[in-house]
Amino acid sequence: MSTTHEGTRTHEAHDDIPVHLSQLEDVVQLISPTGERLSSPGFDPWVDDVSTEQLADLYEDMVVVRRIDTEATALQRQGELGLWPPLHGQEAAQIGSARTLRPDDFVFSSYRENGVAYCRGVTFTDLMRVWRGTAAAGWNPYEVGMATPAVIIGAQTLHATGYALGASFDGTDSVALAYFGDGATSQGDVNEAMVFAASFQAPVVFFCSNNQWAISEPVGLQSKRHLSDRAPGFGIPSMRVDGNDVLAVMAATRIALDRARSGGGPTFIEAVTYRMGPHTTSDDPTRYRPTGELDEWRAKDPISRVAALLESRGAMSDELRSRVEGKADAVARDLRAGCLSIPQPDPMSVFDDVYAEPHSGLERQKGQYAAYLASFENGHGDGAEGGGAS
Amino acid sequence: MSTTHEGTRTHEAHDDIPVHLSQLEDVVQLISPTGERLSSPGFDPWVDDVSTEQLADLYEDMVVVRRIDTEATALQRQGELGLWPPLHGQEAAQIGSARTLRPDDFVFSSYRENGVAYCRGVTFTDLMRVWRGTAAAGWNPYEVGMATPAVIIGAQTLHATGYALGASFDGTDSVALAYFGDGATSQGDVNEAMVFAASFQAPVVFFCSNNQWAISEPVGLQSKRHLSDRAPGFGIPSMRVDGNDVLAVMAATRIALDRARSGGGPTFIEAVTYRMGPHTTSDDPTRYRPTGELDEWRAKDPISRVAALLESRGAMSDELRSRVEGKADAVARDLRAGCLSIPQPDPMSVFDDVYAEPHSGLERQKGQYAAYLASFENGHGDGAEGGGAS
Amino acid sequence: MTAFSTGTVPAAGSMATGSHEAPASVPAATRTMSLAGALNDGLRRSLARDDKVLLLGEDIGKLGGVFRITDKLQEEFGPRRVIDAPLAEAGIIGTAVGLAIRGYRPVCEIQFDGFIYPGFDQIVAQVAKLHYRTRGAVTMPITIRVPFGGGIGAVEHHSESPEAYFAHTAGLRVVSCSNPQDAHTMIQQAIASDDPVLFFEPKRRYWQKGEVNTELGADALPIGEARVLQPGSDVTLVAYGPLVRTALDVAAAAADDGVAIEVIDLRSLAPVDFTTVESSVRKTGRLVITHEAAQSGGMGAEIAASITERCFDWLEAAPARVTGFDTPYPPAALEEAFLPDLDRILDAVDRVLGRRNSLTGWEARA
Amino acid sequence: MTAFSTGTVPAAGSMATGSHEAPASVPAATRTMSLAGALNDGLRRSLARDDKVLLLGEDIGKLGGVFRITDKLQEEFGPRRVIDAPLAEAGIIGTAVGLAIRGYRPVCEIQFDGFIYPGFDQIVAQVAKLHYRTRGAVTMPITIRVPFGGGIGAVEHHSESPEAYFAHTAGLRVVSCSNPQDAHTMIQQAIASDDPVLFFEPKRRYWQKGEVNTELGADALPIGEARVLQPGSDVTLVAYGPLVRTALDVAAAAADDGVAIEVIDLRSLAPVDFTTVESSVRKTGRLVITHEAAQSGGMGAEIAASITERCFDWLEAAPARVTGFDTPYPPAALEEAFLPDLDRILDAVDRVLGRRNSLTGWEARA
Ligand SMILES: Cc1ncc(C[n+]2csc(CCOP(=O)(O)OP(=O)(O)O)c2C)c(N)n1
Ligand SMILES: Cc1ncc(C[n+]2csc(CCOP(=O)(O)OP(=O)(O)O)c2C)c(N)n1
Ligand SMILES: [Mg+2]
Ligand SMILES: [Mg+2]
């Protein structure tokens, strides 16, 4: 195979992506991977009020959503779900941010924020609908303050901006929080969302879960700079935090929410974390993940460091352990039961909810299809094998 | 009229746009508005070689393209052109950048870079075709190293990135230069172009002519920060120069070209200038332009400052003046003649060049239309008034 | 649909067989308006009626839009109701989606037809699908106004007819007005609809004048219904937007020739009011459809196919389409060749009537 | 079109009336391949044949694409020929436009049908129009590969059929392959074409196997032509992409019932090879068209309308369409209801045959 571009001087192959971008540098960290409480003057005050009990609750949440992940993955392997996008490794990023929100805030997420959905109070049945393939989305956004997840990468960031604008028009101090991945930052929509949010000073928080990968593409292919470096050029202040550190995430989110609530406009948060599982249950990361990378990040596990911190505070009791285990077991049971309880939709429901108001064209198709289905009962079904006279 | 959002605390009306953004601050300037040669250590070396004679040539170019603008506007007023987008005020930005390019570089522009087209050697006839409404584009891009202008705002920035990538693959040191406006920076395409250019380290220069307005929208509506602040977050170095200063523009463009040629990847240049005319001949800027703004910018005219600098160097002779006037007069004559010489296209040519290879569907439509036209000669034309038996 | 009634007015039926000009007896609230002016007044009324209505677009504020459709509305309602947006169509539509989720009824202006494509994803993947996706929990009462069509001598991207893309997209409603009265009522109906509406405005008819009953409220013809503008027994001629006026001219010319054309202003392109077209074609047995958009896969294809399904036994000839060619919209000097006009439509009328000299001969030769 | 011939092979004619499985006498260069494998091999040959061919897309490098269509190609040709692009479809298409202007022949992969819309503007306003805009000076030999259609139990946006949008866009060519042999030759033909080609791959047939003559060069059926897969005199059944296999099943079932169906694999959606469809319908007098895309404004509308124009006097019944409904693509549990299948197509066959029990009765009642 000959190519014409041997000796090209400017183009560099992708494997020269600066390694430092996949490392935890330049990040705010309040809990070290080994569980030490580090201090960071700008951030500490925002989590001073987090008591050891509350830390234990956060620990519980993280264990629970990891268990949700494990159970859903198992359900997928057992053929009960069509697909599951694991959040394994991103528990601190999801719990630390979602637990700082008020019920009247509104979340706009991607498909991966199932831990956030748990925090918002989405039922297990609703959580499973999409992945079981029975509905395009699981829950009523208004009941939980969380939009149905966007599959089109980045689209939800503009929705969050619009929602935030509306909330400010309404004179409330509700905030919209948009979750998206590192890969999403390359999409026009996400950049336009920053333009609009800055222009309108909309009370929106852009929460980027930089889990190092967009399916098989490393973050260095999307950006040569830290993703948090992007926002200031749009006029949006940003923070880069250890996304595996639940307190750092919490502090950053609180700073951003406070700014938004008090009229300071949008903030961008890059939570540096790691997708420890496959992109989805359909993915095989061994095709692209460098050896050793997973182990490296296992050492930075978001849950074990909180456990260690609790331990160091003498709060990691058997009682806590068993409470958390019990809760996780119960959740797993409820999740499975919720999943299996989801009924198959009626075929005729394929026509439901396309429009809010009657639509003559669709009504006609619906009528035709109903007549067609009914015709099977009238013996038309074997028309195929010779039901009618020609 | 009652509204629900009285008392909203976060949303600020657009009239609070920071005024400084429309001012010439934080810019590199090598010639002051009054014609002084200012020094700027990082930029001076890049224009040290520009002799007084060359400065006079640049002066000539600017006068000529302003005359092109005046003549084309007149042609439009006289009904000879359908539309004209004046470049009045942006002469230094266009000449200073375009005159630094090599023939083997490639320009990707918007509709307003008619001065650039002049520098690239586009004939006057070709320059006028689009605006006379006889063709979708005027010239063969490969003959002049300039793509046909993009009307879809920002689309050309991605084309420039792709072209630059191809040029680097080919082992050349040709550079692609993309012109676009301040308004264009809000489009997803322009931001994606920065993502791709940075990721591929493509030899492309992003040249943003910040003329303060996108039709009626002031630049402050698009961005709360200097536009040049945007690029670094994408990993692209940027410069902000006085776009009415032909030497500053030239220096910045040379720096960017040199970086691109030597494998340093993309650069973003914000040329701060002003659209002294309407958006196009269809526009009425008095509906939105603050009083005084035009006068303020007249004082920063790009041509008069070069004239003053030449004057101070004793080079503004009567001979130069009359040479330049003569050239401008000749160009205006040629432009008008070129414009008026453009033939009306044959109706059947509406089918030309849709595809590069034969297309059965279009061939059929073409045949039908030819038969239809021919039918008028056969008396079908009065079918309307009763030509055929029913 | 939110309440939309501001007074009693002549029954819609009285419009149904009238021309697109004023009905014979002019009611009290009737004023002469251009189509552009009617849209402006319709928008003003929608803004006044419902605080949740917002306008969002490029240059719609101080400038009043490049066609002045939003003229003076920012002055009247303030910059929070009539919002100049940054220059990005996906941004405009996506922001409108978020506003709609929050309970607003955004009206987006796309400056020209050819600039809607950067917003295409947000329209077809979000606006069109959110009600379905959320199983009815979220409505998308978004109106997307698009000045469309050619005939104004413009440069590229300023004369396109992209309606078929949206009519093929489930979840959207697509309409087009053809006269000041409809412009006035339909824009208000579109904004009041809980479904997203692509609202195509025939830009070359913006300055066409007509009588407008400004109080036509609940009695107005529903937005989804076609209108028989002129009855006729020989041929059904279906048009919408800019070509409705041309279609009426065709009918007048044909009448001189003894051919009675029934002219239908389609008004709604999704859904199409096939009931009205069907009953006309069952009467005439002949159908001609005209639009500016390219022929292949245009609205004409759907109408021809559906009417053939519904009226096969009534048809005397294959439905004929008179459309733009399957080319990009040409430069101004060629738009006369490109655009369907009186002669080309009359030629198709001849064809469905089986007359000599029509393109039927060509078809047979092909 | 750049030269594309690597050897002499059986005349295309021998394929024209065969099934989509291997022809009876298997030539030397024939191998059993999946449709996915055939595409992979076709891409490999295109890369090897012409240095200007580049692949550009998300996850196409090390991963080989989510469907592994580009498996091992980056390893073989290097990261400058097989390029993982940042996650942005407009960026991918727009970059390809620039590469094409520079003389390259980019092949873009869109990961799933539903992700093409962010690139829509670059496709319809740039890729489709640049040759016209530049009066032929610039060619756009870009191939845009799109795995499309449903039936794989996927989540939203992963099962769509957006082909009609592109078939309505002047300047583009649109094709779809239905079997490994066509996948292998058509992808190479598309890449060799100087026009932009939207290349729709029937993702639920990726793993369908068949015999592939890998040396079918200049003798292959031209990319713009339809193929009669099975002759028949009673009804013409037109399908493309994923439903071709279903159509063959329909023909087999109908044959048992004494009905001879002529199955046409359309292959090219823009332009449509109406000559082939027309001569079939003039023989059978009856036409059924099937596709997964929504009915309104889908390919079926254009085919029904055009064939009615061309074959009005030959038609015994209105052309029937069996399509997806005018709804968003539904969740997996409902796709069986949504997708045209054997029974629904047979029902339409009954309808055009005027049989009792078919929906003809319903139509009359409606
Ligand atoms: C517009 C669009 N293009 C492509 C895809 C296919 N896709 C799904 S997830 C994904 C990667 C997203 O990466 P990132 O944003 O980092 O989020 P993560 O999956 O890592 O959470 C891609 C390319 C999509 N869903 N939408
Ligand atoms: C996608 C798109 N949207 C809208 C327009 C309409 N339009 C034409 S020029 C223009 C303003 C452009 O402003 P800017 O980028 O600052 O360039 P300038 O005209 O000032 O040179 C707009 C909105 C367009 N051409 N393309
Ligand atoms: Mg990621
Ligand atoms: Mg500008």
Side-chain angles (χ1 to χ4, degrees):
Chain A
M1 238 318 296
S2 78
T3 67
T4 54
H5 46 71
E6 303 297 291
T8 299
R9 61 201 152 77
T10 61
H11 186 70
E12 303 174 37
H14 293 141
D15 33 29
D16 74 346
I17 288 153
V19 196
H20 74 270
L21 280 183
S22 60
Q23 304 296 327
L24 279 172
E25 64 166 24
D26 309 334
V27 297
V28 174
Q29 207 175 55
L30 300 183
I31 314 177
S32 78
T34 52
E36 271 171 293
R37 179 67 173 81
L38 309 174
S39 103
S40 180
F43 288 75
D44 287 335
W46 294 90
V47 285
D48 269 354
D49 64 324
V50 179
S51 65
T52 301
E53 289 69 46
Q54 285 171 321
L55 200 63
D57 287 348
L58 293 170
Y59 171 72
E60 178 194 295
D61 280 340
M62 291 195 285
V63 171
V64 164
V65 301
R66 182 168 293 185
R67 183 67 77 83
I68 288 176
D69 209 61
T70 313
E71 191 66 18
T73 300
L75 282 164
Q76 196 279 335
R77 297 291 177 229
Q78 291 153 15
E80 300 293 348
L81 294 180
L83 188 78
W84 179 256
L87 65 91
H88 187 183
Q90 301 178 222
E91 295 84 358
Q94 295 197 14
I95 299 300
S97 54
R99 282 299 184 208
T100 63
L101 296 171
R102 295 194 322 220
D104 65 320
D105 294 329
F106 216 90
V107 168
F108 292 80
S109 81
S110 87
Y111 42 85
R112 205 180 296 287
E113 280 74 30
N114 292 297
V116 174
Y118 168 76
C119 294
R120 299 303 282 171
V122 171
T123 69
F124 298 120
T125 310
D126 280 350
L127 197 59
M128 294 291 107
R129 286 187 205 282
V130 171
W131 311 111
R132 198 161 166 80
T134 64
W139 57 85
N140 181 330
Y142 297 115
E143 284 170 9
V144 292
M146 178 166 177
T148 52
V151 172
I152 300 293
I153 300 296
Q156 74 277 17
T157 58
L158 280 165
H159 307 169
T161 301
Y163 186 95
L165 191 61
S168 79
F169 286 170
D170 291 341
T172 73
D173 65 351
S174 297
V175 175
L177 190 143
Y179 288 97
F180 53 98
D182 44 296
T185 60
S186 293
Q187 284 283 8
D189 276 12
V190 175
N191 293 280
E192 292 187 10
M194 290 198 270
V195 169
F196 278 62
S199 185
F200 297 140
Q201 287 295 293
V204 56
V205 178
F206 295 111
F207 191 99
C208 178
S209 300
N210 174 2
N211 65 5
Q212 312 304 321
W213 293 94
I215 308 185
S216 74
E217 301 189 336
V219 61
L221 187 122
Q222 315 289 342
S223 183
K224 298 284 178 198
R225 294 282 301 269
H226 290 326
L227 298 173
S228 57
D229 292 345
R230 181 90 58 90
F234 289 83
I236 299 178
S238 73
M239 291 172 269
R240 187 166 199 263
V241 299
D242 183 342
N244 285 5
D245 171 349
V246 73
L247 284 187
V249 171
M250 192 165 235
T253 312
R254 284 178 166 177
I255 291 169
L257 290 171
D258 182 68
R259 179 179 295 136
R261 293 199 208 290
S262 55
T267 302
F268 185 104
I269 297 170
E270 178 188 359
V272 182
T273 178
Y274 190 71
R275 195 195 76 206
M276 293 175 75
H279 170 69
T280 66
T281 45
S282 298
D283 181 41
D284 174 10
T286 64
R287 290 179 72 102
Y288 53 81
R289 196 161 57 192
T291 35
E293 191 181 84
L294 182 59
D295 287 336
E296 203 181 298
W297 281 89
R298 277 208 183 102
K300 299 169 195 150
D301 189 277
I303 299 185
S304 55
R305 73 175 75 180
V306 177
L309 177 57
L310 286 169
E311 193 89 55
S312 73
R313 292 190 183 169
M316 187 45 91
S317 61
D318 283 352
E319 191 203 320
L320 175 60
R321 251 186 269 272
S322 76
R323 175 191 113 193
V324 167
E325 272 316 299
K327 173 85 185 189
D329 288 347
V331 161
R333 265 195 314 276
D334 290 353
L335 183 81
R336 178 168 289 265
C339 172
L340 300 180
S341 78
I342 298 173
Q344 283 300 100
D346 180 75
M348 288 306 293
S349 73
V350 73
F351 298 101
D352 291 353
D353 297 321
V354 182
Y355 297 92
E357 299 176 5
H359 186 282
S360 58
L362 203 56
E363 287 307 317
R364 182 178 165 94
Q365 286 189 357
K366 189 176 173 179
Q368 284 177 323
Y369 191 60
Y372 166 77
L373 290 182
S375 73
F376 284 87
E377 282 139 39
N378 309 336
H380 171 277
D382 26 13
E385 284 77 53
S390 76
Chain B
M1 236 320 295
S2 77
T3 67
T4 55
H5 46 69
E6 302 296 294
T8 299
R9 60 230 126 80
T10 62
H11 186 70
E12 303 174 35
H14 292 142
D15 35 26
D16 73 349
I17 289 153
V19 195
H20 72 270
L21 281 182
S22 58
Q23 305 295 329
L24 278 172
E25 63 165 24
D26 310 334
V27 298
V28 174
Q29 208 177 53
L30 300 183
I31 314 177
S32 77
T34 52
E36 273 171 293
R37 178 69 173 81
L38 309 175
S39 104
S40 179
F43 287 75
D44 288 335
W46 295 91
V47 286
D48 270 354
D49 64 324
V50 179
S51 64
T52 301
E53 286 70 47
Q54 285 171 323
L55 199 62
D57 287 348
L58 294 170
Y59 171 72
E60 179 194 294
D61 280 341
M62 290 196 284
V63 170
V64 164
V65 301
R66 181 166 292 185
R67 183 66 77 86
I68 288 176
D69 209 61
T70 314
E71 191 66 17
T73 300
L75 282 164
Q76 195 280 334
R77 298 290 178 230
Q78 291 154 15
E80 299 294 349
L81 294 180
L83 189 77
W84 180 255
L87 63 91
H88 188 181
Q90 301 178 220
E91 294 84 358
Q94 296 199 11
I95 298 300
S97 55
R99 282 297 184 210
T100 64
L101 295 171
R102 295 195 320 220
D104 65 321
D105 294 328
F106 215 89
V107 169
F108 292 82
S109 80
S110 87
Y111 41 84
R112 204 180 298 287
E113 279 74 30
N114 293 299
V116 174
Y118 167 76
C119 295
R120 299 303 282 170
V122 171
T123 69
F124 297 119
T125 310
D126 280 350
L127 197 59
M128 294 292 107
R129 286 186 204 281
V130 171
W131 311 112
R132 196 160 166 81
T134 64
W139 57 86
N140 181 331
Y142 297 115
E143 284 171 8
V144 291
M146 178 167 179
T148 51
V151 172
I152 300 292
I153 299 298
Q156 74 276 18
T157 57
L158 281 165
H159 307 169
T161 301
Y163 185 96
L165 191 61
S168 79
F169 285 170
D170 291 342
T172 73
D173 65 352
S174 297
V175 175
L177 191 142
Y179 288 96
F180 52 99
D182 43 298
T185 60
S186 293
Q187 284 283 9
D189 276 12
V190 175
N191 293 280
E192 291 188 11
M194 290 199 272
V195 169
F196 278 63
S199 185
F200 296 139
Q201 288 294 295
V204 56
V205 178
F206 295 111
F207 192 98
C208 178
S209 300
N210 174 2
N211 66 5
Q212 312 303 322
W213 293 95
I215 309 187
S216 75
E217 300 189 336
V219 61
L221 189 131
Q222 316 289 342
S223 183
K224 298 284 178 196
R225 294 280 302 269
H226 290 327
L227 298 173
S228 58
D229 291 345
R230 180 90 57 90
F234 289 83
I236 299 177
S238 72
M239 291 172 268
R240 188 167 199 263
V241 299
D242 182 343
N244 284 5
D245 171 348
V246 72
L247 284 187
V249 170
M250 191 164 234
T253 311
R254 283 178 166 178
I255 290 169
L257 289 171
D258 182 68
R259 179 179 295 137
R261 293 198 208 291
S262 54
T267 301
F268 185 104
I269 297 170
E270 178 188 359
V272 182
T273 177
Y274 191 71
R275 195 195 77 206
M276 294 175 77
H279 171 68
T280 67
T281 45
S282 297
D283 180 41
D284 174 10
T286 64
R287 290 179 71 102
Y288 52 80
R289 196 159 58 191
T291 35
E293 191 181 87
L294 182 58
D295 287 336
E296 202 181 297
W297 281 91
R298 277 210 182 100
K300 300 169 193 149
D301 189 279
I303 298 185
S304 55
R305 73 175 76 182
V306 177
L309 178 57
L310 286 169
E311 193 87 56
S312 74
R313 291 190 184 168
M316 185 46 89
S317 60
D318 282 350
E319 191 202 321
L320 176 60
R321 252 187 268 271
S322 75
R323 175 191 114 193
V324 168
E325 272 317 300
K327 173 84 185 190
D329 288 346
V331 161
R333 264 194 314 275
D334 290 352
L335 182 81
R336 177 169 290 266
C339 172
L340 300 182
S341 77
I342 298 172
Q344 282 301 98
D346 180 75
M348 288 306 294
S349 73
V350 73
F351 298 101
D352 292 352
D353 297 320
V354 181
Y355 297 93
E357 299 174 7
H359 186 282
S360 58
L362 203 56
E363 286 307 317
R364 182 179 166 91
Q365 285 190 357
K366 188 174 174 181
Q368 284 177 324
Y369 190 59
Y372 165 77
L373 290 183
S375 73
F376 284 87
E377 281 138 43
N378 310 335
H380 170 277
D382 26 12
E385 284 77 49
S390 75
Chain C
M1 192 178 279
T2 60
F4 165 44
S5 172
T6 48
T8 47
V9 288
S14 74
M15 302 293 295
T17 51
S19 87
H20 66 307
E21 303 295 332
S25 80
V26 173
T30 290
R31 277 160 47 199
T32 303
M33 287 184 179
S34 68
L35 197 154
L39 288 169
N40 178 267
D41 193 60
L43 289 169
R44 178 177 292 104
R45 284 164 193 265
S46 295
L47 283 160
R49 182 179 302 114
D50 184 349
D51 281 352
K52 294 297 185 189
V53 173
L54 296 176
L55 273 46
L56 193 64
E58 296 158 10
D59 304 294
I60 66 169
K62 271 193 187 143
L63 185 64
V66 296
F67 290 108
R68 311 287 186 265
I69 306 301
T70 57
D71 193 27
K72 299 219 163 43
L73 297 181
Q74 189 181 65
E75 205 176 298
E76 187 170 340
F77 296 96
R80 286 178 197 166
R81 302 286 307 283
V82 180
I83 306 171
D84 268 335
L87 205 178
E89 288 74 13
I92 290 170
I93 308 287
T95 299
V97 168
L99 283 161
I101 295 176
R102 178 75 200 181
Y104 284 84
R105 307 182 86 82
V107 182
C108 303
E109 173 171 307
I110 298 295
Q111 199 162 79
F112 278 88
D113 34 61
F115 308 147
I116 198 166
Y117 308 122
F120 200 75
D121 178 64
Q122 285 286 346
I123 297 175
V124 309
Q126 307 300 334
V127 173
K129 296 193 172 76
L130 263 158
H131 188 261
Y132 186 79
R133 182 177 305 149
T134 60
R135 294 185 292 155
V138 170
T139 56
M140 283 285 118
I142 297 177
T143 302
I144 301 175
R145 294 182 39 241
V146 190
F148 88 121
I152 62 160
V155 295
E156 215 189 341
H157 310 290
H158 289 72
S159 304
E160 302 188 8
S161 296
E163 64 275 13
Y165 296 127
F166 304 101
H168 180 53
T169 304
L172 301 176
R173 292 176 189 269
V174 183
V175 303
S176 183
C177 56
S178 69
N179 60 72
Q181 177 68 70
D182 274 356
H184 193 268
T185 49
M186 287 172 74
I187 188 65
Q188 294 178 73
Q189 291 170 319
I191 294 169
S193 169
D194 279 343
D195 286 320
V197 179
L198 272 284
F199 193 90
F200 284 97
E201 304 171 0
K203 71 167 87 82
R204 64 166 147 144
R205 306 296 183 200
Y206 271 150
W207 312 116
Q208 172 184 315
K209 294 222 156 122
E211 294 303 304
V212 174
N213 175 344
T214 58
E215 300 303 329
L216 205 61
D219 294 328
L221 191 63
I223 195 169
E225 294 185 20
R227 172 178 282 142
V228 178
L229 282 181
Q230 147 139 3
S233 53
D234 296 335
V235 174
T236 301
L237 174 56
V238 171
Y240 55 87
L243 290 178
V244 170
R245 169 154 235 156
T246 313
L248 289 167
D249 294 344
V250 167
D256 294 345
D257 189 31
V259 175
I261 293 185
E262 178 145 309
V263 177
I264 297 181
D265 180 356
L266 205 56
R267 293 175 15 116
S268 179
L269 315 187
V272 170
D273 174 7
F274 281 117
T275 310
T276 296
V277 183
E278 174 183 303
S279 62
S280 175
V281 173
R282 289 192 177 188
K283 180 174 69 180
T284 62
R286 295 177 172 88
L287 174 63
V288 175
I289 310 138
T290 186
H291 54 66
E292 296 186 10
Q295 178 162 303
S296 289
M299 288 303 304
E302 179 56 42
I303 296 166
S306 283
I307 289 301
T308 303
E309 284 163 17
R310 291 165 175 251
C311 306
F312 188 71
D313 293 338
W314 286 264
L315 280 174
E316 305 284 348
R321 295 178 278 171
V322 186
T323 68
F325 301 124
D326 289 351
T327 70
Y329 196 89
L334 289 169
E335 65 182 347
E336 210 181 304
F338 181 91
L339 287 172
D341 62 8
L342 187 111
D343 283 336
R344 273 175 66 200
I345 300 173
L346 281 169
D347 180 74
V349 168
D350 280 355
R351 201 180 333 158
V352 298
L353 286 167
R355 290 180 168 200
R356 266 191 316 115
N357 283 338
S358 84
L359 279 176
T360 311
W362 194 90
E363 294 285 327
R365 284 199 307 279
Chain D
M1 193 179 277
T2 61
F4 166 43
S5 171
T6 50
T8 46
V9 287
S14 74
M15 301 292 298
T17 51
S19 86
H20 65 309
E21 305 295 330
S25 81
V26 174
T30 291
R31 277 159 50 199
T32 303
M33 287 184 179
S34 67
L35 198 155
L39 288 169
N40 179 266
D41 194 59
L43 289 170
R44 177 177 293 106
R45 284 164 194 265
S46 296
L47 282 161
R49 183 179 301 115
D50 185 349
D51 280 353
K52 293 298 185 190
V53 173
L54 296 177
L55 272 47
L56 192 65
E58 296 158 10
D59 304 294
I60 67 169
K62 271 193 187 146
L63 185 64
V66 296
F67 291 109
R68 310 289 186 265
I69 307 300
T70 57
D71 193 29
K72 301 223 160 47
L73 297 180
Q74 190 181 65
E75 204 176 298
E76 187 171 340
F77 296 96
R80 286 178 197 165
R81 301 286 306 284
V82 181
I83 307 171
D84 268 335
L87 205 179
E89 288 73 15
I92 290 169
I93 309 288
T95 299
V97 168
L99 283 161
I101 295 175
R102 178 74 200 182
Y104 284 84
R105 307 182 85 82
V107 183
C108 303
E109 174 171 307
I110 299 294
Q111 201 163 80
F112 279 87
D113 33 62
F115 308 147
I116 199 166
Y117 308 122
F120 199 76
D121 177 65
Q122 284 287 344
I123 298 175
V124 308
Q126 307 299 334
V127 173
K129 296 193 172 77
L130 262 157
H131 188 262
Y132 186 79
R133 182 178 304 149
T134 60
R135 294 184 292 157
V138 171
T139 56
M140 283 285 119
I142 297 176
T143 302
I144 302 175
R145 295 182 37 244
V146 190
F148 87 122
I152 63 161
V155 295
E156 215 189 341
H157 311 290
H158 290 71
S159 304
E160 301 188 7
S161 296
E163 65 274 14
Y165 296 127
F166 303 103
H168 180 53
T169 305
L172 301 176
R173 292 176 189 269
V174 183
V175 304
S176 183
C177 55
S178 70
N179 60 73
Q181 178 68 68
D182 275 355
H184 194 268
T185 48
M186 287 172 75
I187 189 65
Q188 295 178 72
Q189 291 170 318
I191 294 169
S193 169
D194 279 342
D195 286 320
V197 179
L198 271 284
F199 193 89
F200 285 97
E201 303 172 359
K203 71 168 89 83
R204 64 165 146 147
R205 307 298 185 199
Y206 271 151
W207 312 115
Q208 172 183 316
K209 293 222 155 119
E211 295 303 304
V212 174
N213 176 345
T214 57
E215 301 301 331
L216 205 60
D219 295 327
L221 190 63
I223 196 169
E225 294 185 21
R227 172 176 283 142
V228 178
L229 282 181
Q230 147 138 6
S233 53
D234 296 334
V235 174
T236 301
L237 175 56
V238 170
Y240 55 87
L243 290 177
V244 169
R245 168 152 236 159
T246 313
L248 289 166
D249 293 344
V250 167
D256 294 344
D257 188 30
V259 175
I261 294 186
E262 179 146 309
V263 177
I264 298 181
D265 180 355
L266 205 58
R267 295 176 11 119
S268 179
L269 314 187
V272 170
D273 174 7
F274 280 117
T275 310
T276 297
V277 183
E278 174 182 304
S279 62
S280 176
V281 174
R282 290 194 176 187
K283 181 173 67 178
T284 63
R286 295 176 172 88
L287 173 63
V288 174
I289 312 138
T290 186
H291 55 65
E292 296 186 9
Q295 178 163 302
S296 290
M299 287 303 304
E302 179 57 41
I303 296 166
S306 283
I307 289 300
T308 303
E309 284 162 16
R310 290 165 177 252
C311 307
F312 188 71
D313 293 338
W314 287 264
L315 280 174
E316 305 283 348
R321 295 179 278 170
V322 186
T323 68
F325 302 124
D326 289 351
T327 70
Y329 195 88
L334 289 169
E335 67 183 345
E336 210 181 303
F338 181 91
L339 287 172
D341 62 7
L342 187 111
D343 282 337
R344 273 174 67 199
I345 299 173
L346 281 169
D347 180 74
V349 168
D350 280 356
R351 201 181 330 158
V352 298
L353 286 167
R355 289 181 167 198
R356 264 187 319 115
N357 284 336
S358 84
L359 279 177
T360 311
W362 194 91
E363 293 285 327
R365 281 199 309 278

